[in-house]
Amino acid sequence: NGSSGVAVMSKAQLLSQLKQRLPRFSGNQIKLPDGEVLTPTPNQKNLMQNLESKPINFIEGTFGTGKTMWTVYMGLLGLVEKKFNRVCLNAPAVEAGENIGFLKGSADEKMLPHVNQILEAMDEFIGEDLRKKLCEAGIIKIEPHAFLRGRSLKKTFFIFDECQNATGPNLKTGLTRLGFDSTFVFMGDRLQNDRTTS
């Protein structure tokens, strides 16, 4: 909208900015904008290789193992390399032990608490400002399970997080959406199951 005085960037411009902003490996390390240096472990390297070569990936690991950071990195890298047209995010809408009641807002706003850790990992690599612009442009999208039925997602890097809380139908809906040139990633930690009791 030209009358507002705010320039809206095209998808090509945003992807160009992403290419400039996303840190790349120097030797065996990536230096984040805040100065932190990440060095992938052998398991994390295997994770990245699998995400590069396999269309469906199941990742199980406890908090702090780096599964979210390196998965997010590979999704953003896939956008830069034009392997994917978009990165989509999904997680079961399950509250962690307390009922927070009805959430107001759009579908994206309702899903934010469930995918926030993925968005925060993106912010670590490219900054919150650029990540929000990519979300506004639909290059990064939050996709609730309810809106997936009947769709086939092409050239999409899809992260299904918190899969330990997903139902069988949730997982089946996700698996059957895999389209041409897409990579689907199912992440979870069985020790953080909030849906069932042991």
Side-chain angles (χ1 to χ4, degrees):
N1 186 347
S3 62
S4 68
V6 178
V8 178
M9 297 178 73
S10 69
K11 287 190 177 184
Q13 288 172 317
L14 285 169
L15 290 172
S16 175
Q17 208 175 89
L18 175 62
K19 186 174 183 178
Q20 293 169 15
R21 189 86 63 95
L22 185 68
R24 299 302 184 94
F25 275 95
S26 175
N28 190 35
Q29 298 178 325
I30 287 178
K31 188 174 182 180
L32 297 180
D34 66 2
E36 183 183 356
V37 174
L38 300 180
T39 305
T41 65
N43 278 343
Q44 290 165 350
K45 285 181 186 175
N46 287 339
L47 165 64
M48 288 187 279
Q49 288 168 359
N50 285 337
L51 293 177
E52 203 163 35
S53 60
K54 297 179 180 178
I56 298 175
N57 295 268
F58 292 89
I59 304 166
E60 205 274 336
T62 57
F63 175 80
T65 53
K67 62 185 186 294
T68 301
M69 283 296 283
W70 292 111
T71 298
V72 160
Y73 181 77
M74 293 305 291
L76 295 173
L77 185 63
L79 289 175
V80 167
E81 294 177 345
K82 299 185 177 169
K83 184 177 178 182
F84 308 113
N85 291 333
R86 61 185 173 260
V87 172
C88 292
L89 316 174
N90 181 295
V94 178
E95 295 158 4
E98 58 180 331
N99 190 327
I100 57 175
F102 175 76
L103 291 175
K104 295 180 181 178
S106 66
D108 277 10
E109 289 166 338
K110 292 177 196 292
M111 285 297 295
L112 272 176
H114 306 289
V115 297
N116 203 43
Q117 63 186 9
I118 304 174
L119 298 176
E120 287 176 352
M122 290 180 173
D123 295 349
E124 293 256 2
F125 286 115
I126 62 172
E128 186 180 3
D129 58 331
L130 179 55
R131 188 265 300 167
K132 284 184 173 178
K133 289 175 186 173
L134 292 166
C135 287
E136 287 165 9
I139 297 170
I140 296 171
K141 294 185 73 175
I142 299 172
E143 291 278 11
H145 274 104
F147 302 152
L148 287 177
R149 291 190 184 92
R151 296 170 61 195
S152 179
L153 300 171
K154 300 177 183 179
K155 288 184 77 72
T156 300
F157 189 88
F158 207 130
I159 303 172
F160 292 84
D161 199 13
E162 304 291 349
C163 283
Q164 75 278 357
N165 288 327
T167 64
N170 284 159
L171 294 174
K172 185 178 178 183
T173 298
L175 280 167
T176 53
R177 299 310 100 196
L178 182 68
F180 181 72
D181 274 355
S182 287
T183 295
F184 279 27
V185 189
F186 296 83
M187 292 195 301
D189 176 4
R190 70 187 75 182
L191 299 178
Q192 295 187 54
N193 187 331
D194 298 311
R195 186 179 287 277
T196 61
T197 54
S198 55

PDB file of all heavy atoms in Angstrom, residues 87-91 93 103-116 119 131-132 134-145 147 151:
ATOM      1  N   VAL A  87       8.602 -22.586   4.064  1.00  0.00           N
ATOM      2  CA  VAL A  87       8.792 -23.416   5.254  1.00  0.00           C
ATOM      3  C   VAL A  87       7.498 -23.346   6.042  1.00  0.00           C
ATOM      4  O   VAL A  87       7.010 -22.256   6.349  1.00  0.00           O
ATOM      5  CB  VAL A  87       9.974 -22.917   6.119  1.00  0.00           C
ATOM      6  CG1 VAL A  87      10.029 -23.664   7.444  1.00  0.00           C
ATOM      7  CG2 VAL A  87      11.300 -23.068   5.377  1.00  0.00           C
ATOM      8  N   CYS A  88       6.907 -24.500   6.343  1.00  0.00           N
ATOM      9  CA  CYS A  88       5.652 -24.548   7.102  1.00  0.00           C
ATOM     10  C   CYS A  88       5.895 -25.169   8.474  1.00  0.00           C
ATOM     11  O   CYS A  88       6.754 -26.045   8.624  1.00  0.00           O
ATOM     12  CB  CYS A  88       4.608 -25.367   6.346  1.00  0.00           C
ATOM     13  SG  CYS A  88       4.036 -24.579   4.826  1.00  0.00           S
ATOM     14  N   LEU A  89       5.121 -24.702   9.444  1.00  0.00           N
ATOM     15  CA  LEU A  89       5.282 -25.134  10.829  1.00  0.00           C
ATOM     16  C   LEU A  89       3.959 -25.642  11.381  1.00  0.00           C
ATOM     17  O   LEU A  89       2.908 -25.070  11.105  1.00  0.00           O
ATOM     18  CB  LEU A  89       5.754 -23.962  11.707  1.00  0.00           C
ATOM     19  CG  LEU A  89       6.871 -23.070  11.163  1.00  0.00           C
ATOM     20  CD1 LEU A  89       7.102 -21.897  12.092  1.00  0.00           C
ATOM     21  CD2 LEU A  89       8.141 -23.863  10.962  1.00  0.00           C
ATOM     22  N   ASN A  90       4.050 -26.683  12.194  1.00  0.00           N
ATOM     23  CA  ASN A  90       2.853 -27.257  12.780  1.00  0.00           C
ATOM     24  C   ASN A  90       3.224 -27.926  14.097  1.00  0.00           C
ATOM     25  O   ASN A  90       4.336 -28.446  14.236  1.00  0.00           O
ATOM     26  CB  ASN A  90       2.260 -28.287  11.808  1.00  0.00           C
ATOM     27  CG  ASN A  90       0.982 -28.918  12.317  1.00  0.00           C
ATOM     28  OD1 ASN A  90       0.989 -29.612  13.316  1.00  0.00           O
ATOM     29  ND2 ASN A  90      -0.104 -28.695  11.617  1.00  0.00           N
ATOM     30  N   ALA A  91       2.331 -27.892  15.053  1.00  0.00           N
ATOM     31  CA  ALA A  91       2.492 -28.638  16.305  1.00  0.00           C
ATOM     32  C   ALA A  91       1.108 -28.903  16.874  1.00  0.00           C
ATOM     33  O   ALA A  91       0.185 -28.113  16.659  1.00  0.00           O
ATOM     34  CB  ALA A  91       3.333 -27.843  17.304  1.00  0.00           C
ATOM     35  N   ALA A  93      -1.957 -28.716  19.194  1.00  0.00           N
ATOM     36  CA  ALA A  93      -2.392 -27.651  20.107  1.00  0.00           C
ATOM     37  C   ALA A  93      -2.776 -28.272  21.444  1.00  0.00           C
ATOM     38  O   ALA A  93      -3.951 -28.383  21.793  1.00  0.00           O
ATOM     39  CB  ALA A  93      -3.565 -26.893  19.495  1.00  0.00           C
ATOM     40  N   LEU A 103      -8.231 -19.028  23.340  1.00  0.00           N
ATOM     41  CA  LEU A 103      -7.291 -18.024  22.858  1.00  0.00           C
ATOM     42  C   LEU A 103      -7.944 -17.195  21.764  1.00  0.00           C
ATOM     43  O   LEU A 103      -8.467 -17.728  20.789  1.00  0.00           O
ATOM     44  CB  LEU A 103      -6.027 -18.701  22.290  1.00  0.00           C
ATOM     45  CG  LEU A 103      -5.112 -19.394  23.297  1.00  0.00           C
ATOM     46  CD1 LEU A 103      -3.980 -20.102  22.561  1.00  0.00           C
ATOM     47  CD2 LEU A 103      -4.538 -18.385  24.276  1.00  0.00           C
ATOM     48  N   LYS A 104      -7.912 -15.871  21.909  1.00  0.00           N
ATOM     49  CA  LYS A 104      -8.448 -14.982  20.885  1.00  0.00           C
ATOM     50  C   LYS A 104      -7.470 -14.887  19.724  1.00  0.00           C
ATOM     51  O   LYS A 104      -6.314 -15.250  19.833  1.00  0.00           O
ATOM     52  CB  LYS A 104      -8.672 -13.582  21.474  1.00  0.00           C
ATOM     53  CG  LYS A 104      -9.729 -13.528  22.561  1.00  0.00           C
ATOM     54  CD  LYS A 104      -9.874 -12.102  23.082  1.00  0.00           C
ATOM     55  CE  LYS A 104     -10.926 -12.051  24.188  1.00  0.00           C
ATOM     56  NZ  LYS A 104     -11.051 -10.686  24.743  1.00  0.00           N
ATOM     57  N   GLY A 105      -7.962 -14.324  18.611  1.00  0.00           N
ATOM     58  CA  GLY A 105      -7.076 -14.024  17.495  1.00  0.00           C
ATOM     59  C   GLY A 105      -7.239 -14.961  16.324  1.00  0.00           C
ATOM     60  O   GLY A 105      -8.082 -15.855  16.306  1.00  0.00           O
ATOM     61  N   SER A 106      -6.379 -14.740  15.323  1.00  0.00           N
ATOM     62  CA  SER A 106      -6.399 -15.533  14.095  1.00  0.00           C
ATOM     63  C   SER A 106      -5.854 -16.931  14.373  1.00  0.00           C
ATOM     64  O   SER A 106      -5.334 -17.211  15.452  1.00  0.00           O
ATOM     65  CB  SER A 106      -5.522 -14.846  13.044  1.00  0.00           C
ATOM     66  OG  SER A 106      -4.167 -14.863  13.458  1.00  0.00           O
ATOM     67  N   ALA A 107      -5.953 -17.796  13.346  1.00  0.00           N
ATOM     68  CA  ALA A 107      -5.421 -19.159  13.489  1.00  0.00           C
ATOM     69  C   ALA A 107      -3.927 -19.112  13.795  1.00  0.00           C
ATOM     70  O   ALA A 107      -3.428 -19.871  14.636  1.00  0.00           O
ATOM     71  CB  ALA A 107      -5.678 -19.951  12.203  1.00  0.00           C
ATOM     72  N   ASP A 108      -3.200 -18.196  13.119  1.00  0.00           N
ATOM     73  CA  ASP A 108      -1.757 -18.059  13.372  1.00  0.00           C
ATOM     74  C   ASP A 108      -1.505 -17.675  14.828  1.00  0.00           C
ATOM     75  O   ASP A 108      -0.616 -18.228  15.485  1.00  0.00           O
ATOM     76  CB  ASP A 108      -1.143 -16.994  12.455  1.00  0.00           C
ATOM     77  CG  ASP A 108      -0.809 -17.549  11.071  1.00  0.00           C
ATOM     78  OD1 ASP A 108      -1.220 -18.690  10.780  1.00  0.00           O
ATOM     79  OD2 ASP A 108      -0.147 -16.835  10.300  1.00  0.00           O
ATOM     80  N   GLU A 109      -2.270 -16.719  15.323  1.00  0.00           N
ATOM     81  CA  GLU A 109      -2.072 -16.244  16.692  1.00  0.00           C
ATOM     82  C   GLU A 109      -2.381 -17.339  17.710  1.00  0.00           C
ATOM     83  O   GLU A 109      -1.699 -17.461  18.734  1.00  0.00           O
ATOM     84  CB  GLU A 109      -2.936 -15.005  16.950  1.00  0.00           C
ATOM     85  CG  GLU A 109      -2.422 -13.769  16.208  1.00  0.00           C
ATOM     86  CD  GLU A 109      -3.434 -12.631  16.164  1.00  0.00           C
ATOM     87  OE1 GLU A 109      -4.651 -12.886  16.313  1.00  0.00           O
ATOM     88  OE2 GLU A 109      -2.995 -11.485  15.967  1.00  0.00           O
ATOM     89  N   LYS A 110      -3.387 -18.159  17.420  1.00  0.00           N
ATOM     90  CA  LYS A 110      -3.723 -19.270  18.323  1.00  0.00           C
ATOM     91  C   LYS A 110      -2.609 -20.317  18.342  1.00  0.00           C
ATOM     92  O   LYS A 110      -2.370 -20.968  19.351  1.00  0.00           O
ATOM     93  CB  LYS A 110      -5.033 -19.927  17.887  1.00  0.00           C
ATOM     94  CG  LYS A 110      -6.284 -19.067  18.064  1.00  0.00           C
ATOM     95  CD  LYS A 110      -7.490 -19.809  17.515  1.00  0.00           C
ATOM     96  CE  LYS A 110      -8.683 -18.923  17.290  1.00  0.00           C
ATOM     97  NZ  LYS A 110      -9.274 -18.406  18.513  1.00  0.00           N
ATOM     98  N   MET A 111      -1.940 -20.497  17.188  1.00  0.00           N
ATOM     99  CA  MET A 111      -0.902 -21.522  17.080  1.00  0.00           C
ATOM    100  C   MET A 111       0.464 -21.050  17.571  1.00  0.00           C
ATOM    101  O   MET A 111       1.346 -21.866  17.823  1.00  0.00           O
ATOM    102  CB  MET A 111      -0.777 -21.973  15.612  1.00  0.00           C
ATOM    103  CG  MET A 111      -1.898 -22.880  15.133  1.00  0.00           C
ATOM    104  SD  MET A 111      -1.964 -24.446  16.037  1.00  0.00           S
ATOM    105  CE  MET A 111      -0.402 -25.191  15.555  1.00  0.00           C
ATOM    106  N   LEU A 112       0.648 -19.746  17.726  1.00  0.00           N
ATOM    107  CA  LEU A 112       1.964 -19.203  18.094  1.00  0.00           C
ATOM    108  C   LEU A 112       2.591 -19.866  19.324  1.00  0.00           C
ATOM    109  O   LEU A 112       3.771 -20.210  19.291  1.00  0.00           O
ATOM    110  CB  LEU A 112       1.884 -17.687  18.294  1.00  0.00           C
ATOM    111  CG  LEU A 112       2.104 -16.831  17.045  1.00  0.00           C
ATOM    112  CD1 LEU A 112       1.902 -15.361  17.376  1.00  0.00           C
ATOM    113  CD2 LEU A 112       3.492 -17.050  16.458  1.00  0.00           C
ATOM    114  N   PRO A 113       1.830 -20.058  20.422  1.00  0.00           N
ATOM    115  CA  PRO A 113       2.465 -20.675  21.598  1.00  0.00           C
ATOM    116  C   PRO A 113       3.026 -22.067  21.312  1.00  0.00           C
ATOM    117  O   PRO A 113       3.968 -22.503  21.974  1.00  0.00           O
ATOM    118  CB  PRO A 113       1.322 -20.748  22.622  1.00  0.00           C
ATOM    119  CG  PRO A 113       0.329 -19.737  22.172  1.00  0.00           C
ATOM    120  CD  PRO A 113       0.411 -19.711  20.682  1.00  0.00           C
ATOM    121  N   HIS A 114       2.451 -22.756  20.328  1.00  0.00           N
ATOM    122  CA  HIS A 114       2.851 -24.144  20.053  1.00  0.00           C
ATOM    123  C   HIS A 114       4.042 -24.240  19.096  1.00  0.00           C
ATOM    124  O   HIS A 114       4.699 -25.281  19.042  1.00  0.00           O
ATOM    125  CB  HIS A 114       1.652 -24.923  19.500  1.00  0.00           C
ATOM    126  CG  HIS A 114       0.444 -24.854  20.388  1.00  0.00           C
ATOM    127  ND1 HIS A 114       0.368 -25.505  21.605  1.00  0.00           N
ATOM    128  CD2 HIS A 114      -0.729 -24.166  20.266  1.00  0.00           C
ATOM    129  CE1 HIS A 114      -0.789 -25.237  22.180  1.00  0.00           C
ATOM    130  NE2 HIS A 114      -1.474 -24.427  21.384  1.00  0.00           N
ATOM    131  N   VAL A 115       4.315 -23.197  18.334  1.00  0.00           N
ATOM    132  CA  VAL A 115       5.438 -23.221  17.385  1.00  0.00           C
ATOM    133  C   VAL A 115       6.490 -22.159  17.733  1.00  0.00           C
ATOM    134  O   VAL A 115       7.433 -21.948  16.979  1.00  0.00           O
ATOM    135  CB  VAL A 115       4.957 -23.029  15.926  1.00  0.00           C
ATOM    136  CG1 VAL A 115       4.045 -24.162  15.500  1.00  0.00           C
ATOM    137  CG2 VAL A 115       4.278 -21.675  15.730  1.00  0.00           C
ATOM    138  N   ASN A 116       6.332 -21.524  18.879  1.00  0.00           N
ATOM    139  CA  ASN A 116       7.193 -20.393  19.230  1.00  0.00           C
ATOM    140  C   ASN A 116       8.667 -20.762  19.297  1.00  0.00           C
ATOM    141  O   ASN A 116       9.534 -19.970  18.922  1.00  0.00           O
ATOM    142  CB  ASN A 116       6.742 -19.776  20.562  1.00  0.00           C
ATOM    143  CG  ASN A 116       7.197 -18.341  20.693  1.00  0.00           C
ATOM    144  OD1 ASN A 116       7.105 -17.559  19.749  1.00  0.00           O
ATOM    145  ND2 ASN A 116       7.735 -17.994  21.838  1.00  0.00           N
ATOM    146  N   LEU A 119      10.112 -20.550  15.858  1.00  0.00           N
ATOM    147  CA  LEU A 119      10.275 -19.169  15.427  1.00  0.00           C
ATOM    148  C   LEU A 119      11.463 -18.524  16.133  1.00  0.00           C
ATOM    149  O   LEU A 119      12.227 -17.765  15.510  1.00  0.00           O
ATOM    150  CB  LEU A 119       8.993 -18.376  15.703  1.00  0.00           C
ATOM    151  CG  LEU A 119       7.744 -18.868  14.968  1.00  0.00           C
ATOM    152  CD1 LEU A 119       6.520 -18.061  15.413  1.00  0.00           C
ATOM    153  CD2 LEU A 119       7.906 -18.782  13.459  1.00  0.00           C
ATOM    154  N   ARG A 131      12.443 -12.465   9.938  1.00  0.00           N
ATOM    155  CA  ARG A 131      11.554 -13.628  10.071  1.00  0.00           C
ATOM    156  C   ARG A 131      10.095 -13.197   9.995  1.00  0.00           C
ATOM    157  O   ARG A 131       9.270 -13.837   9.330  1.00  0.00           O
ATOM    158  CB  ARG A 131      11.856 -14.355  11.385  1.00  0.00           C
ATOM    159  CG  ARG A 131      11.128 -15.689  11.529  1.00  0.00           C
ATOM    160  CD  ARG A 131       9.848 -15.578  12.296  1.00  0.00           C
ATOM    161  NE  ARG A 131      10.048 -15.080  13.646  1.00  0.00           N
ATOM    162  CZ  ARG A 131       9.061 -14.654  14.422  1.00  0.00           C
ATOM    163  NH1 ARG A 131       7.806 -14.639  13.993  1.00  0.00           N
ATOM    164  NH2 ARG A 131       9.308 -14.203  15.653  1.00  0.00           N
ATOM    165  N   LYS A 132       9.746 -12.090  10.652  1.00  0.00           N
ATOM    166  CA  LYS A 132       8.366 -11.606  10.614  1.00  0.00           C
ATOM    167  C   LYS A 132       7.959 -11.196   9.195  1.00  0.00           C
ATOM    168  O   LYS A 132       6.826 -11.454   8.760  1.00  0.00           O
ATOM    169  CB  LYS A 132       8.187 -10.438  11.579  1.00  0.00           C
ATOM    170  CG  LYS A 132       8.116 -10.876  13.037  1.00  0.00           C
ATOM    171  CD  LYS A 132       7.832  -9.711  13.966  1.00  0.00           C
ATOM    172  CE  LYS A 132       7.588 -10.193  15.394  1.00  0.00           C
ATOM    173  NZ  LYS A 132       7.346  -9.067  16.319  1.00  0.00           N
ATOM    174  N   LEU A 134       9.145 -12.493   6.436  1.00  0.00           N
ATOM    175  CA  LEU A 134       8.974 -13.751   5.694  1.00  0.00           C
ATOM    176  C   LEU A 134       7.632 -14.396   6.037  1.00  0.00           C
ATOM    177  O   LEU A 134       6.983 -14.999   5.174  1.00  0.00           O
ATOM    178  CB  LEU A 134      10.130 -14.704   6.002  1.00  0.00           C
ATOM    179  CG  LEU A 134      11.512 -14.284   5.468  1.00  0.00           C
ATOM    180  CD1 LEU A 134      12.613 -15.115   6.114  1.00  0.00           C
ATOM    181  CD2 LEU A 134      11.572 -14.395   3.949  1.00  0.00           C
ATOM    182  N   CYS A 135       7.200 -14.268   7.292  1.00  0.00           N
ATOM    183  CA  CYS A 135       5.883 -14.780   7.695  1.00  0.00           C
ATOM    184  C   CYS A 135       4.767 -13.993   7.012  1.00  0.00           C
ATOM    185  O   CYS A 135       3.805 -14.580   6.493  1.00  0.00           O
ATOM    186  CB  CYS A 135       5.723 -14.708   9.212  1.00  0.00           C
ATOM    187  SG  CYS A 135       6.694 -15.917  10.142  1.00  0.00           S
ATOM    188  N   GLU A 136       4.900 -12.677   6.998  1.00  0.00           N
ATOM    189  CA  GLU A 136       3.879 -11.824   6.366  1.00  0.00           C
ATOM    190  C   GLU A 136       3.756 -12.131   4.876  1.00  0.00           C
ATOM    191  O   GLU A 136       2.666 -12.049   4.296  1.00  0.00           O
ATOM    192  CB  GLU A 136       4.233 -10.349   6.571  1.00  0.00           C
ATOM    193  CG  GLU A 136       4.017  -9.864   7.991  1.00  0.00           C
ATOM    194  CD  GLU A 136       4.702  -8.530   8.285  1.00  0.00           C
ATOM    195  OE1 GLU A 136       5.202  -7.899   7.317  1.00  0.00           O
ATOM    196  OE2 GLU A 136       4.757  -8.132   9.461  1.00  0.00           O
ATOM    197  N   ALA A 137       4.868 -12.504   4.242  1.00  0.00           N
ATOM    198  CA  ALA A 137       4.860 -12.804   2.804  1.00  0.00           C
ATOM    199  C   ALA A 137       4.419 -14.235   2.511  1.00  0.00           C
ATOM    200  O   ALA A 137       4.292 -14.622   1.342  1.00  0.00           O
ATOM    201  CB  ALA A 137       6.256 -12.557   2.218  1.00  0.00           C
ATOM    202  N   GLY A 138       4.207 -15.048   3.552  1.00  0.00           N
ATOM    203  CA  GLY A 138       3.783 -16.433   3.342  1.00  0.00           C
ATOM    204  C   GLY A 138       4.912 -17.376   2.982  1.00  0.00           C
ATOM    205  O   GLY A 138       4.672 -18.531   2.614  1.00  0.00           O
ATOM    206  N   ILE A 139       6.154 -16.913   3.099  1.00  0.00           N
ATOM    207  CA  ILE A 139       7.310 -17.783   2.826  1.00  0.00           C
ATOM    208  C   ILE A 139       7.538 -18.709   4.015  1.00  0.00           C
ATOM    209  O   ILE A 139       7.947 -19.855   3.869  1.00  0.00           O
ATOM    210  CB  ILE A 139       8.555 -16.933   2.501  1.00  0.00           C
ATOM    211  CG1 ILE A 139       8.316 -16.128   1.220  1.00  0.00           C
ATOM    212  CG2 ILE A 139       9.796 -17.814   2.348  1.00  0.00           C
ATOM    213  CD1 ILE A 139       9.377 -15.073   0.929  1.00  0.00           C
ATOM    214  N   ILE A 140       7.277 -18.197   5.206  1.00  0.00           N
ATOM    215  CA  ILE A 140       7.203 -19.020   6.421  1.00  0.00           C
ATOM    216  C   ILE A 140       5.744 -18.999   6.858  1.00  0.00           C
ATOM    217  O   ILE A 140       5.151 -17.940   7.011  1.00  0.00           O
ATOM    218  CB  ILE A 140       8.108 -18.467   7.536  1.00  0.00           C
ATOM    219  CG1 ILE A 140       9.581 -18.526   7.115  1.00  0.00           C
ATOM    220  CG2 ILE A 140       7.891 -19.245   8.835  1.00  0.00           C
ATOM    221  CD1 ILE A 140      10.521 -17.795   8.057  1.00  0.00           C
ATOM    222  N   LYS A 141       5.148 -20.197   7.010  1.00  0.00           N
ATOM    223  CA  LYS A 141       3.714 -20.274   7.310  1.00  0.00           C
ATOM    224  C   LYS A 141       3.451 -21.216   8.471  1.00  0.00           C
ATOM    225  O   LYS A 141       4.094 -22.257   8.598  1.00  0.00           O
ATOM    226  CB  LYS A 141       2.938 -20.795   6.085  1.00  0.00           C
ATOM    227  CG  LYS A 141       2.950 -19.870   4.891  1.00  0.00           C
ATOM    228  CD  LYS A 141       2.058 -20.401   3.784  1.00  0.00           C
ATOM    229  CE  LYS A 141       0.600 -20.252   4.132  1.00  0.00           C
ATOM    230  NZ  LYS A 141      -0.293 -20.660   3.029  1.00  0.00           N
ATOM    231  N   ILE A 142       2.501 -20.824   9.302  1.00  0.00           N
ATOM    232  CA  ILE A 142       1.997 -21.718  10.337  1.00  0.00           C
ATOM    233  C   ILE A 142       0.778 -22.433   9.767  1.00  0.00           C
ATOM    234  O   ILE A 142      -0.143 -21.791   9.269  1.00  0.00           O
ATOM    235  CB  ILE A 142       1.615 -20.932  11.611  1.00  0.00           C
ATOM    236  CG1 ILE A 142       2.855 -20.210  12.163  1.00  0.00           C
ATOM    237  CG2 ILE A 142       1.015 -21.859  12.661  1.00  0.00           C
ATOM    238  CD1 ILE A 142       2.554 -19.253  13.293  1.00  0.00           C
ATOM    239  N   GLU A 143       0.804 -23.762   9.797  1.00  0.00           N
ATOM    240  CA  GLU A 143      -0.261 -24.557   9.164  1.00  0.00           C
ATOM    241  C   GLU A 143      -0.901 -25.502  10.179  1.00  0.00           C
ATOM    242  O   GLU A 143      -0.385 -26.585  10.428  1.00  0.00           O
ATOM    243  CB  GLU A 143       0.322 -25.391   8.009  1.00  0.00           C
ATOM    244  CG  GLU A 143       0.782 -24.580   6.810  1.00  0.00           C
ATOM    245  CD  GLU A 143      -0.357 -24.208   5.867  1.00  0.00           C
ATOM    246  OE1 GLU A 143      -1.532 -24.394   6.240  1.00  0.00           O
ATOM    247  OE2 GLU A 143      -0.063 -23.746   4.764  1.00  0.00           O
ATOM    248  N   PRO A 144      -2.012 -25.110  10.814  1.00  0.00           N
ATOM    249  CA  PRO A 144      -2.693 -26.021  11.740  1.00  0.00           C
ATOM    250  C   PRO A 144      -3.173 -27.291  11.031  1.00  0.00           C
ATOM    251  O   PRO A 144      -3.483 -27.267   9.833  1.00  0.00           O
ATOM    252  CB  PRO A 144      -3.889 -25.189  12.235  1.00  0.00           C
ATOM    253  CG  PRO A 144      -3.524 -23.763  11.953  1.00  0.00           C
ATOM    254  CD  PRO A 144      -2.679 -23.806  10.719  1.00  0.00           C
ATOM    255  N   HIS A 145      -3.241 -28.397  11.781  1.00  0.00           N
ATOM    256  CA  HIS A 145      -3.680 -29.674  11.205  1.00  0.00           C
ATOM    257  C   HIS A 145      -5.034 -29.560  10.508  1.00  0.00           C
ATOM    258  O   HIS A 145      -5.261 -30.158   9.467  1.00  0.00           O
ATOM    259  CB  HIS A 145      -3.772 -30.741  12.306  1.00  0.00           C
ATOM    260  CG  HIS A 145      -2.484 -31.440  12.567  1.00  0.00           C
ATOM    261  ND1 HIS A 145      -1.707 -31.173  13.676  1.00  0.00           N
ATOM    262  CD2 HIS A 145      -1.825 -32.388  11.862  1.00  0.00           C
ATOM    263  CE1 HIS A 145      -0.632 -31.942  13.630  1.00  0.00           C
ATOM    264  NE2 HIS A 145      -0.675 -32.685  12.562  1.00  0.00           N
ATOM    265  N   PHE A 147      -6.307 -27.418   8.731  1.00  0.00           N
ATOM    266  CA  PHE A 147      -6.302 -26.819   7.399  1.00  0.00           C
ATOM    267  C   PHE A 147      -5.479 -27.618   6.387  1.00  0.00           C
ATOM    268  O   PHE A 147      -5.273 -27.178   5.262  1.00  0.00           O
ATOM    269  CB  PHE A 147      -5.764 -25.379   7.465  1.00  0.00           C
ATOM    270  CG  PHE A 147      -6.547 -24.484   8.383  1.00  0.00           C
ATOM    271  CD1 PHE A 147      -5.940 -23.408   9.002  1.00  0.00           C
ATOM    272  CD2 PHE A 147      -7.897 -24.719   8.647  1.00  0.00           C
ATOM    273  CE1 PHE A 147      -6.662 -22.575   9.863  1.00  0.00           C
ATOM    274  CE2 PHE A 147      -8.623 -23.890   9.495  1.00  0.00           C
ATOM    275  CZ  PHE A 147      -8.001 -22.820  10.104  1.00  0.00           C
ATOM    276  N   ARG A 151      -4.947 -31.396   0.861  1.00  0.00           N
ATOM    277  CA  ARG A 151      -3.900 -30.624   0.185  1.00  0.00           C
ATOM    278  C   ARG A 151      -2.672 -31.480  -0.042  1.00  0.00           C
ATOM    279  O   ARG A 151      -2.376 -32.393   0.714  1.00  0.00           O
ATOM    280  CB  ARG A 151      -3.511 -29.403   1.033  1.00  0.00           C
ATOM    281  CG  ARG A 151      -4.639 -28.417   1.205  1.00  0.00           C
ATOM    282  CD  ARG A 151      -4.288 -27.368   2.238  1.00  0.00           C
ATOM    283  NE  ARG A 151      -3.118 -26.590   1.845  1.00  0.00           N
ATOM    284  CZ  ARG A 151      -2.448 -25.815   2.681  1.00  0.00           C
ATOM    285  NH1 ARG A 151      -2.823 -25.715   3.934  1.00  0.00           N
ATOM    286  NH2 ARG A 151      -1.405 -25.129   2.253  1.00  0.00           N
TER     287      ARG A 151
END
